[in-house]
Amino acid sequence: MGMLSIDFFGSYSPVGDVIVLGTCFVFAVLMHNAYISDSDAYSLFRRIIFVLYLSANFSIVFHVLLVRRETVPHFFLYLFLILYHVSLYLQLLLYIQYMKMPLRMNADTFKHMVIPACIAFGVCTLYEIIAPITGWGFYITENKEIHEGFNFFPVGYCYFVLTIMYLLIAYRKRVYRQVINGIMFSTLISFLILLLQIRNDNSSFTVASYLFPAFAILYMIHSNPYDLEIGAVDALAFEQIIDYANKRGRKMLIMSLLLVDLDIEGKEYPEAIKDAVRRFAGEYFKGATLFQVSNGRLFLVVDMSKNPSYEQIINRMLNSFDEEYPKYKLDYKIIITPTMDRIVHGKDYIGLIHYAESGTALDTVHIVDETDVEEFLKHKYILEELMDICKKKDLDDPRVEVFCQPVLNIETKKYDTAEALMRISLRDTGRIFPDVFIPMAEEHGLIHQLSLIILHKTCERIREMMVEGYNIQRISINISALELRDDDFCKDVSEVIKSSGIPFGKVAIELTESQSESDFRIMKKKILELKENGIKFYLDDFGTGYSNFERIMELPFDIIKFDRSMVLASNADEKSEKMVSHLAGMFSEMNYSVLYEGVETDTDEEHCVKMNAKYLQGYKYSRPIPLERLTEYFEKDVS
């Protein structure tokens, strides 16, 4: 017997191919009902399964025709043998093409592998076509006998398998080791099964052997199981499905539900909520997928082309939600947005929904509009620029600007201190004020680097003014309490001041009072450490919100800044004026200097002077000006 015996009907049983057909149906059902992120790789994998299904059919038909060769035109025998072998080659070629994505091969490397594979596929296909004609391979003689000839299939099979194994070995470090091991092991098992078939003159499991790599790829690469209790998949899967849909031009609808009380890591959903989530996710939209983006945040993603009446469905769904809400009474925010051309990536839709939530009241529904998108894109741009500033760590970064507000010294009637104020100036947005970017910087851990830039630029300006002979006591810098948690905070601040060559006492740090016990202990430790170098400290915004006198007394501040609200209160009536005055007097007696900020009128000034003011700051004296203009207010030392 020659090598062709692996295709001879006498050693063939259809059981292997029937198993393949059944398995392909199972694959189809699983891929339809299980959640698997759409991608180019997954699209290619579906083609592999489809061609595998065709191969099993071609194999069965060929072997049935073979046993009936005496009554069947030989052309059909040859046709289905060609289709059978070519479909097997095609699967292997598709496997090679598939490897590009998980192995992250660049275009040039991929070309060098796939072009020879395509040529090999063409050669194998050509041989299968001409073999019966030339008599080189399988054909049926005039007296209905089988001529075996040379079976080229094992040669082509070995080439493709060796190419796949080479790719897996050569690029193994680009993929998680267990994934590579799983695919390599399954490919090796397939190869061994074919070798055993050849040795035992059997061809029943030729197509079935192709199932093993398919199982490995589906499980190791495309597996993304549901949460069994609420039926959701994770945030990464959401990003993948949105990215793929945008790439394919498919419009999706995203409905976000934030359950505020449950958005805590590890917080368990009540059983009634789990039941409600499952019901709402599967009852209204056709083919909708539920994603759990955070513990209490759920996204329902709907293909709008499959749900043309989605607007009516949304209204019906929200009406049902309103009817059921009294049962649970959990605070929520619902955000609804379609995908749009201006936002491409899935992670940006997560950001858009977060941004929309920040401006949405509790227990309300908000539908994203163009204004939301415009504001979000601006927010995103600013955040990206802040991240870039902090990544580059350039203390002279021109995007970070220093403004300042001169402070009047009541005793000398001169300006000898000032407060440094941060601004961000960007190409696409112009100048941005702190109320916009400070919360963003604090939320994303960027604020410390921005403070170091302001500190550096302020120190450099102080040094220049000292060289020019200006009388300058100090300039204060605002520092976020979050920065104090950084172990290197004191070292970073000291290094910047020291590198500028100015005395440490020329710099002051403004802090707002901490409300938590742990932050209070950290603040006290950092203040004491930096005061040893001579740095002054201001308690900022006294009179706003929470104030604990015991803690204030425990912290060695030098100056207490009374907020403008205290200035306004003192103007309201005599009782308020006495209260503010007594507070300021108490601080003065304990050797704290009192600075009133927000002074705008002569009346404000008169009240503050009577209320034990040491320093005054506000629009009456100057609006914030560029740091370079501070010399317009400060005087040179004539002594």
Side-chain angles (χ1 to χ4, degrees):
M1 281 255 177
M3 295 185 78
L4 186 62
S5 59
I6 65 169
D7 284 323
F8 182 66
F9 183 78
S11 59
Y12 170 82
S13 168
V15 63
D17 290 328
V18 171
I19 289 173
V20 171
L21 293 177
T23 304
C24 286
F25 277 114
V26 172
F27 267 121
V29 171
L30 290 177
M31 290 188 292
H32 178 73
N33 291 287
Y35 177 76
I36 300 175
S37 301
D38 279 331
S39 62
D40 290 335
Y42 181 52
S43 177
L44 196 53
F45 177 74
R46 288 199 299 262
R47 288 179 223 162
I48 290 172
I49 299 302
F50 177 68
V51 175
L52 183 62
Y53 171 78
L54 292 179
S55 297
N57 280 289
F58 293 149
S59 175
I60 291 172
V61 173
F62 166 70
H63 287 96
V64 168
L65 293 178
L66 184 63
V67 80
R68 299 178 181 178
R69 61 187 177 276
E70 295 185 359
T71 57
V72 174
H74 296 171
F75 167 79
F76 292 107
L77 249 174
Y78 300 149
L79 174 63
F80 279 95
L81 176 61
I82 292 169
L83 291 174
Y84 171 40
H85 279 174
V86 170
S87 65
L88 293 176
Y89 291 136
L90 180 58
Q91 282 181 73
L92 294 169
L93 178 62
L94 290 174
Y95 275 122
I96 291 173
Q97 292 178 317
Y98 178 91
M99 289 297 125
K100 176 186 178 183
M101 281 148 289
L103 298 180
R104 293 177 287 124
M105 299 165 62
N106 62 44
D108 290 338
T109 303
F110 178 65
K111 267 189 208 176
H112 291 147
M113 298 309 303
V114 79
I115 290 177
C118 289
I119 293 172
F121 173 76
V123 170
C124 292
T125 301
L126 182 62
Y127 181 86
E128 296 293 341
I129 293 171
I130 67 174
I133 300 172
T134 60
W136 295 345
F138 170 88
Y139 68 91
I140 306 297
T141 63
E142 292 182 0
N143 57 3
K144 312 300 181 182
E145 292 179 353
I146 297 174
H147 179 271
E148 296 181 10
F150 176 71
N151 182 14
F152 193 73
F153 174 74
V155 177
Y157 178 86
C158 287
Y159 167 79
F160 285 111
V161 169
L162 290 174
T163 301
I164 292 170
M165 295 298 286
Y166 166 76
L167 292 175
L168 291 172
I169 294 170
Y171 295 92
R172 64 188 182 279
K173 292 184 178 179
R174 298 188 179 186
V175 183
Y176 188 48
R177 181 165 54 90
Q178 278 79 350
V179 173
I180 289 292
N181 290 346
I183 297 174
M184 288 182 66
F185 180 76
S186 61
T187 304
L188 182 61
I189 292 296
S190 299
F191 185 70
L192 292 176
I193 287 174
L194 282 191
L195 289 180
L196 289 172
Q197 284 198 149
I198 293 172
R199 182 174 180 180
N200 294 284
D201 289 336
N202 191 288
S203 63
S204 302
F205 295 96
T206 300
V207 182
S209 68
Y210 283 65
L211 282 172
F212 297 105
F215 273 116
I217 287 174
L218 181 63
Y219 186 80
M220 302 297 289
I221 296 179
H222 296 291
S223 174
N224 200 334
Y226 289 105
D227 179 298
L228 296 181
E229 295 189 330
I230 63 174
V233 285
D234 61 19
L236 178 60
F238 167 77
E239 293 180 18
Q240 291 171 341
I241 194 174
I242 296 298
D243 289 351
Y244 187 75
N246 280 329
K247 188 175 182 180
R248 297 293 179 180
R250 285 159 47 191
K251 292 294 182 182
M252 311 296 279
L253 180 73
I254 305 168
M255 300 184 68
S256 166
L257 170 64
L258 172 63
L259 297 171
V260 178
D261 296 331
L262 297 178
D263 199 29
I264 302 169
E265 190 66 34
K267 182 82 170 178
E268 280 291 326
Y269 279 42
E271 287 300 323
I273 297 295
K274 293 177 184 177
D275 293 340
V277 168
R278 285 194 299 269
R279 187 171 69 257
F280 272 87
E283 189 174 296
Y284 293 90
F285 289 101
K286 180 181 178 181
T289 304
L290 184 67
F291 300 86
Q292 189 168 22
V293 179
S294 65
N295 199 71
R297 185 178 281 102
L298 301 167
F299 287 1
L300 189 66
V301 177
V302 179
D303 189 330
M304 295 167 71
S305 65
K306 295 179 182 178
N307 298 272
S309 59
Y310 65 88
E311 291 180 341
Q312 293 92 324
I313 298 173
I314 289 174
N315 291 330
R316 201 160 65 244
M317 192 175 185
L318 292 177
N319 288 336
S320 297
F321 184 89
D322 288 338
E323 291 173 5
E324 295 215 16
Y325 173 70
K327 299 178 186 177
Y328 313 111
K329 293 185 178 179
L330 289 174
D331 286 329
Y332 68 88
K333 294 182 182 182
I334 293 176
I335 306 295
I336 301 173
T337 180
T339 55
M340 50 199 78
D341 295 337
R342 297 182 69 188
I343 301 180
V344 177
H345 299 295
K347 65 180 180 181
D348 289 335
Y349 282 96
I350 295 176
L352 171 63
I353 289 169
H354 272 276
Y355 184 78
E357 283 173 351
S358 66
T360 300
L362 284 175
D363 306 328
T364 57
V365 178
H366 178 74
I367 298 175
V368 172
D369 57 25
E370 282 298 320
T371 302
D372 295 316
V373 174
E374 189 68 36
E375 291 176 352
F376 165 70
L377 291 175
K378 179 180 177 181
H379 174 90
K380 178 174 178 283
Y381 168 71
I382 294 170
L383 180 58
E384 288 173 348
E385 288 292 306
L386 293 177
M387 288 180 170
D388 185 64
I389 289 169
C390 295
K391 180 182 177 182
K392 290 181 176 176
K393 296 185 182 298
D394 178 9
L395 294 179
D396 292 306
D397 196 308
R399 290 172 290 185
V400 182
E401 296 181 337
V402 186
F403 275 59
C404 66
Q405 194 169 30
V407 174
L408 179 67
N409 186 326
I410 297 299
E411 293 179 358
T412 64
K413 305 298 183 184
K414 295 180 179 179
Y415 299 98
D416 53 16
T417 65
E419 178 184 3
L421 303 167
M422 190 187 309
R423 304 286 187 267
I424 300 293
S425 182
L426 303 177
R427 181 188 67 253
D428 294 350
T429 59
R431 183 167 293 129
I432 306 164
F433 291 90
D435 60 324
V436 174
F437 68 83
I438 292 293
M440 297 166 59
E442 289 183 332
E443 180 183 355
H444 294 275
L446 309 173
I447 188 65
H448 183 49
Q449 184 61 34
L450 297 178
S451 295
L452 292 179
I453 294 173
I454 290 295
L455 178 61
H456 165 75
K457 291 189 174 185
T458 300
C459 289
E460 289 299 306
R461 183 57 180 154
I462 292 173
R463 181 181 56 78
E464 292 170 359
M465 291 178 66
M466 289 176 65
V467 171
E468 294 169 7
Y470 284 93
N471 178 25
I472 178 168
Q473 280 196 28
R474 76 187 76 87
I475 296 179
S476 62
I477 309 290
N478 286 279
I479 294 293
S480 168
L482 298 176
E483 296 179 61
L484 302 180
R485 299 174 186 173
D486 191 327
D487 291 339
D488 293 329
F489 173 77
C490 292
K491 179 174 71 69
D492 293 343
V493 169
S494 297
E495 286 180 354
V496 170
I497 299 174
K498 185 177 180 180
S499 65
S500 70
I502 66 172
F504 280 82
K506 296 295 183 182
V507 175
I509 290 177
E510 296 195 19
L511 294 167
T512 54
E513 185 184 354
S514 171
Q515 296 187 25
S516 74
E517 183 64 32
S518 59
D519 281 348
F520 170 75
R521 290 195 301 268
I522 293 171
M523 180 181 289
K524 182 178 179 181
K525 178 183 176 183
K526 299 296 172 66
I527 290 176
L528 290 172
E529 184 176 340
L530 288 175
K531 278 187 74 71
E532 290 181 359
N533 293 331
I535 296 176
K536 304 290 185 180
F537 280 86
Y538 291 23
L539 174 62
D540 197 12
D541 295 335
F542 176 76
T544 61
Y546 175 90
S547 290
N548 186 316
F549 280 97
E550 182 180 355
R551 284 185 176 174
I552 293 174
M553 296 302 103
E554 196 173 333
L555 294 173
F557 287 109
D558 299 284
I559 293 176
I560 309 296
K561 292 187 71 171
F562 277 42
D563 184 72
R564 171 158 173 77
S565 61
M566 302 286 274
V567 178
L568 294 175
S570 70
N571 288 332
D573 53 57
E574 185 178 350
K575 181 178 178 181
S576 297
E577 181 180 348
K578 284 183 178 180
M579 184 176 294
V580 175
S581 181
H582 284 316
L583 282 172
M586 178 187 68
F587 282 121
S588 297
E589 289 174 7
M590 291 186 292
N591 296 320
Y592 294 95
S593 295
V594 174
L595 185 158
Y596 287 94
E597 57 183 344
V599 178
E600 296 185 357
T601 65
D602 291 340
T603 302
D604 290 341
E605 182 181 76
E606 290 171 7
H607 275 89
C608 292
V609 171
K610 287 194 299 184
M611 295 187 300
N612 298 287
K614 176 70 180 295
Y615 298 101
L616 298 178
Q617 176 183 348
Y619 284 179
K620 172 175 168 48
Y621 312 107
S622 172
R623 289 180 176 272
I625 58 173
L627 187 61
E628 292 73 23
R629 289 181 51 198
L630 196 56
T631 52
E632 297 175 12
Y633 290 83
F634 280 44
E635 296 181 6
K636 290 188 177 182
D637 192 346
V638 295
S639 59

